[in-house]
Each structure stands twice: as C-alpha cells, then as structure tokens.
Amino acid sequence: MVPHRRNGLGFRVFAATTTLLTGALLAGCGQQADSANELSGSAGEVMGTSGDSVAGAAGTSTSRTRTDDSTDGARTDRSSAERSTTSSTSEGRESTERTSTGTGRPPPVDRCHTGTLDGDLKRGSPGAGQRYAELTLRNTGDSTCTLYGYPGLELLDESGSPLPTDVSRTADPGPSTLRLAPDETSSAQLHWGVVPSGTDPASSSCEPVPGGVRITPPDETDSFRLDWNHGRVCGGNIDVTAFR
C-alpha cells in the first residue's frame, strides 16, 4: 500500500509542476503579445506621423502645383488678352484705313508752283489810249493744283533789265481758289495806258518800250519771262485782275 501512495504523490507533484510551467509559459506569451501590441502601436503612431507628414508634404506639393497651374492660367490669360489687344488694334487700324479710303474725299491738292506752269500773253481789244492783254497760266504738271490770287509783274527792257513798274490790283473780281487739272488754264486781265500822264512829259512817247515781262505766279517766289509785244506802257502803270 505504501508504494501506491508514493505513486499518487509523485503524480500530483508532476501535475502541479506542469501547471506552473504552463502558467509561466502563458504569462510569458501574454507579455510578448503585450510587447508586440505596444511595438505595433508605436509603429502605428510612427507610421501615422509619417503618413501625416507625407500627406502634408503631398498637400503642399499639390498646393504648389495649383499655384503653378494658376500662374500658367494667368500667363494664358495675359497671352490671350495681348492677342486680343493686338487683334483689336490691327482691326481698328484696318477699319480706319478702310474708312479713310472709303470716304470718297479727294486727296489734298497742292498749290500750283512756277515749275509746273507755262504762260502766254495775248493782246486784247484796244480802246482810246487804253491797252489790254490776257495773261494765261497753264498747268503742265501731272496732277491737279490750285491757284489763288494775283500775278506779280515786272517790265523788262530789251536786255532783260528791270523797268519802272507800278502794278495795281483790281478789287473786282476778287481772288478765288481755282483747281487746275493737268493742261487746264486760268487767266488774269491786264490794263495800261499809252497816253502820257502824271510826270510824263506831254511830248513823251513813254519810252523806253518794254521788251519783256517777268511773271511771278501767286504765292511763289520763282518767276519766268515772257516776251512783251504790246508797245509802250506810260508810267509803267499796269492794272491787273486776280486769276479766274
């Protein structure tokens, strides 16, 4: 009987030892699990922080991208505005040119210059002691020009030297602007006397007889010479009308 109790006791000791070992093992596993959970939690926090940082960095990068996109958009808007302004300016200039050319107004006409005028002096019908002549100017240029006013006159002797000349402008008719197309003419009337008067001696024949006359067109300083075949001019007095 004694050996039977010994075996029971040994069995209980073994069982108790096994239980303790098992508890220790389970406790160790629990601690490891807690440690693992703590490590996992720390890793999660780290990853969470890293994720937040990455997300923040990504957000910042996205914000810069949007800013760049906005800048590109502004550049595009400016480019579009510049193209629109250039186009509007070009269209406005073309419209102005079309309007200018489409008004039907004639281009400005310059006055007639001496170099594009030719002259002629024709004898008029004489009266008692009175003489008349018609001075005609012709436009020899290639374009229309204007003529306004009175001619300038200076009598010349046979050698071309000036003779005393006194020109009086007739008020009626007065001057008016004349348009002379190429080869068109305008004329002024000249009048003088052949009877001595004033300071001329009664027996004088109003010598010397002019051999030529220098003509200066209105508003010009250059002149040209015409032959004078119309006899004497007493006192060098000549009345002249405006061109008409």
Side-chain angles (χ1 to χ4, degrees), residues 123-133 194:
R123 185 187 300 271
S125 299
Q130 308 298 312
R131 299 291 184 269
Y132 300 89
V194 293

Side-chain angles (χ1 to χ4, degrees), residues 9-175:
L9 179 59
F11 178 77
R12 285 194 299 270
V13 171
F14 175 78
T17 302
T18 302
T19 301
L20 292 173
L21 291 173
T22 301
L25 289 173
L26 290 175
C29 290
Q31 292 177 354
Q32 291 177 354
D34 292 339
S35 299
N37 289 335
E38 291 176 358
L39 291 174
S40 177
S42 299
E45 292 177 356
V46 172
M47 291 184 66
T49 304
S50 300
D52 293 340
S53 299
V54 172
T60 303
S61 177
T62 303
S63 176
R64 283 199 298 271
T65 301
R66 286 196 295 269
T67 301
D68 294 340
D69 290 342
S70 176
T71 302
D72 291 340
R75 291 172 181 169
T76 302
D77 292 341
R78 285 197 299 272
S79 298
S80 300
E82 291 171 357
R83 287 194 297 270
S84 177
T85 301
T86 302
S87 177
S88 299
T89 302
S90 300
E91 291 175 0
R93 183 165 53 250
E94 292 174 0
S95 176
T96 301
E97 292 173 354
R98 287 195 297 269
T99 301
S100 298
T101 57
T103 56
R105 296 179 181 175
V109 179
D110 193 11
R111 77 169 186 270
C112 299
H113 297 290
T114 304
T116 59
L117 292 172
D118 189 17
D120 187 27
L121 195 59
K122 296 181 180 181
R123 185 187 300 271
S125 299
Q130 308 298 312
R131 299 291 184 269
Y132 300 89
E134 182 181 48
L135 172 63
T136 300
L137 296 183
R138 181 172 63 89
N139 180 11
T140 62
D142 298 329
S143 60
T144 299
C145 62
T146 60
L147 198 66
Y148 178 88
Y150 297 83
L153 303 173
E154 186 178 37
L155 296 172
L156 307 172
D157 64 15
E158 291 293 340
S159 65
S161 298
L163 293 174
T165 307
D166 185 9
V167 177
S168 298
R169 296 178 175 182
T170 303
D172 186 21

Side-chain angles (χ1 to χ4, degrees), residues 36 71 107 148 177 191 203 217 224:
T71 302
Y148 178 88
T177 301
H191 164 257
S203 60
F224 57 86

